[in-house]
């Protein structure tokens, strides 16, 4: 017997979560199934709507204004501007005080761990004191056991962008003698618990020891930025204590994978799904699809070798793009592996990419095309299935790494697909 719901969302990333919430808010009974862990934990935790136009212009000041001018076929154009606002509003409701940026339509400029500045619409509250568009002499602090963040180099790169304040960087030994390959969670949990650590023949709480080591270099800086490891369960408390001891604003610099801000965001959004009553099943791939008269009748999940059918009135595909394996390829071509939806691509593999690493690669826009109801369409522009919608980076027609638009597209198309699916049941 199949597990039955009104709407089944396939995929557990940002788009899948937004779709589940959108359908739930229409009164539908919703289940989300996902195979692998979300790519959110590999992301910076920043929510980008549109940082650069498809033509490369930018950084974009007002993403909503620029989105309204995007060409036909772009996922934002397919979903509509109202869906962009609805998706970001949903995100604000779900994350509450965890995130900043909702006070304006304008992008903020957030310094990254490489010292670049990234236009983004929402950013963790922990990063807010360090935004590059606000004044305040800034010190970056790196740890010698964390080679991913070279604080002096990041400071030099930020200065080279022309910010109107002093930037400096220093690398120190993190108190507690952590291994060189210590995970970011090891730093965070040590600070969460404020463990006693050995320092110069005595012991003291690690937050105190860290502040003492940084204080030697603070030298009047108004803002002090650390790699994003300042606590997990008690992150606000850790930052507040360090700020008090240092007499300066303390902020986190978003890091590459694995990302503590990404992990925190994933935890919060799954808590939100639990709070509103969305059913969630993880670790189980969808391995088969059954259709009747042009509609998906049911799909089959693999539960460690046992086939479990799921049946719904409406289905949403949110399995990710090339990175998340929602789009795959082999020597025969490019394909969408769950429903075998049409993925336009050049027949010649040598036309998929250009020679330079930063050139305009065709593969960056590979994905499923959709109509204005977000239904995947075939080569003749007809819906593949009447009761299937797609959302997030499984969609084609945009280059989210160069546009800095991945999270925004996931929220907008996910929430819109969920609303449409929920409205049809």
């Amino acid at each position: 017997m199949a597990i039955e719901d009104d709407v089944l969302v396939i995929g557990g990333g940002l788009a899948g979560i937004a779709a589940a919430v959108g359908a739930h808010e229409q009164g539908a009974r919703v289940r989300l199934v996902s195979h692998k862990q979300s790519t959110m934990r590999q992301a910076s935790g920043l929510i980008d709507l549109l940082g650069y136009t498809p033509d490369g212009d930018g950084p974009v000041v007002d993403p909503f204004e620029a989105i309204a001018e995007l060409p036909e076929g772009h996922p934002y154009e397919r979903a509509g501007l109202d869906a962009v606002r609805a998706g970001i509003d949903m995100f604000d409701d779900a994350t509450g005080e965890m995130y900043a940026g909702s006070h304006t339509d304008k992008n903020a400029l957030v310094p990254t761990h490489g010292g670049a500045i990234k236009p983004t619409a929402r950013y963790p509250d922990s990063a807010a004191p360090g935004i590059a568009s606000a004044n305040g002499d800034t010190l970056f602090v790196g740890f010698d056991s964390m080679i991913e963040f070279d604080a002096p180099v990041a400071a030099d790169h930020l200065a080279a962008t022309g910010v109107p304040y002093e930037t400096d960087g220093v690398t120190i030994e993190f108190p507690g003698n952590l291994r060189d390959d210590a995970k970011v969670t090891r730093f965070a949990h040590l600070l969460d618990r404020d463990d006693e650590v050995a320092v110069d023949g005595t012991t003291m709480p690690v937050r105190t020891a860290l502040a003492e080591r940084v204080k030697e270099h603070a030298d009047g800086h108004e803002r002090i930025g650390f790699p994003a490891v300042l606590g997990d369960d008690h992150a606000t408390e850790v930052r507040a204590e360090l700020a008090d001891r240092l007499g300066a604003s303390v902020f986190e610099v978003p890091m590459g994978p694995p990302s503590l801000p990404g992990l925190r965001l994933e935890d919060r959004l799954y808590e939100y799904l639990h709070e509103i009553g969305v059913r969630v099943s993880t670790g189980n791939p969808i391995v088969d699809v059954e259709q009747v008269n042009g509609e998906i009748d049911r799909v089959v999940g693999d539960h460690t070798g046992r086939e479990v059918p799921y049946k719904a009135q409406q289905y949403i595909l949110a399995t990710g793009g090339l990175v998340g394996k929602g789009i795959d390829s082999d020597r025969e071509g490019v394909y969408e592996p769950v429903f075998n939806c049409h993925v336009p691509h050049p027949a010649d593999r040598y036309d998929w990419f250009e020679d330079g690493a930063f050139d305009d690669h065709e593969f960056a826009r590979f994905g499923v095309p959709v109509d204005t109801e977000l239904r995947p369409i075939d080569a003749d522009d007809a819906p593949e299935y009447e009761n299937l919608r797609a959302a997030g980076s499984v969609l084609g027609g945009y280059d989210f790494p160069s546009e800095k638009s991945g999270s925004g597209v996931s929220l907008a198309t996910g929430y819109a697909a969920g609303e449409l699916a929920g409205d049809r049941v």
Side-chain angles (χ1 to χ4, degrees), residues 92 99-108 120-123 128:
D92 291 338
Y99 271 73
S102 61
H103 63 290
T104 176
D105 279 356
K106 307 291 178 60
N107 274 326
T120 192
R122 299 289 186 273
Y123 41 97

Side-chain angles (χ1 to χ4, degrees), residues 75-154:
Y76 278 138
E77 181 275 333
R78 300 282 86 180
L81 191 58
D82 287 346
V84 182
R85 290 198 177 277
I88 201 75
D89 286 347
M90 181 281 293
F91 179 84
D92 291 338
D93 289 342
T95 57
E97 295 181 354
M98 271 186 67
Y99 271 73
S102 61
H103 63 290
T104 176
D105 279 356
K106 307 291 178 60
N107 274 326
L109 299 176
V110 176
T112 70
H113 64 286
I117 52 176
K118 185 178 185 183
T120 192
R122 299 289 186 273
Y123 41 97
D125 181 62
S126 63
I131 60 173
S133 45
N135 277 327
D137 290 351
T138 301
L139 173 68
F140 287 139
V141 177
F143 305 132
D144 57 5
S145 56
M146 184 178 287
I147 60 174
E148 300 92 337
F149 182 53
D150 188 325
V153 170

Side-chain angles (χ1 to χ4, degrees), residues 108-340:
L109 299 176
V110 176
T112 70
H113 64 286
I117 52 176
K118 185 178 185 183
T120 192
R122 299 289 186 273
Y123 41 97
D125 181 62
S126 63
I131 60 173
S133 45
N135 277 327
D137 290 351
T138 301
L139 173 68
F140 287 139
V141 177
F143 305 132
D144 57 5
S145 56
M146 184 178 287
I147 60 174
E148 300 92 337
F149 182 53
D150 188 325
V153 170
D156 288 345
H157 286 178
L158 183 58
T161 67
V163 293
Y165 47 80
E166 295 293 325
T167 63
D168 294 293
V170 63
T171 301
I172 66 170
E173 181 183 1
F174 189 87
N177 298 321
L178 292 180
R179 300 183 325 195
D180 288 349
D181 61 347
K183 296 179 179 178
V184 293
T185 49
R186 178 79 176 93
F187 291 89
H189 294 161
L190 194 62
L191 288 164
D192 269 343
R193 297 189 301 264
D194 203 15
D195 288 348
E196 293 279 330
V197 294
V199 178
D200 298 332
T202 185
T203 62
M204 65 178 69
V206 66
R207 298 177 195 171
T208 305
L210 177 57
E212 290 300 315
R213 288 190 176 179
V214 173
K215 196 176 292 183
E216 299 173 16
H217 308 278
D219 194 27
H221 289 88
E222 298 164 84
R223 306 187 292 183
I224 301 178
F226 294 85
V229 298
L230 300 183
D232 189 3
D233 295 331
H234 305 290
T236 301
E237 180 183 314
V238 172
R239 290 198 312 279
E241 181 171 341
L242 290 175
D244 183 57
R245 290 184 178 278
L246 292 168
S249 296
V250 166
F251 65 96
E252 289 186 316
V253 180
M255 301 288 291
S259 162
L260 203 58
L263 288 165
R264 294 176 190 145
L265 177 59
E266 180 186 58
D267 288 346
R268 172 58 202 144
L269 292 178
Y270 273 89
E271 285 175 3
Y272 188 70
L273 291 181
H274 177 73
E275 289 168 8
I276 64 176
V278 170
R279 298 161 177 80
V280 175
S281 174
T282 59
N284 307 308
I286 298 300
V287 296
D288 198 9
V289 175
E290 297 178 14
Q291 57 172 305
V292 175
N293 298 327
E295 293 197 349
I296 303 297
D297 182 56
R298 65 179 188 172
V299 299
V300 178
D302 181 354
H303 289 221
T304 59
R306 183 169 60 94
E307 292 191 345
V308 175
Y310 294 91
K311 187 176 178 65
Q313 296 181 48
Q314 297 284 325
Y315 297 83
I316 297 172
L317 177 67
T319 44
L322 287 167
V323 174
K325 296 294 184 184
I327 299 295
D328 212 341
S329 67
D330 57 25
R331 290 192 173 277
E332 304 303 318
V334 184
Y335 57 94
E336 183 283 302
V338 177
F339 296 98
N340 195 28

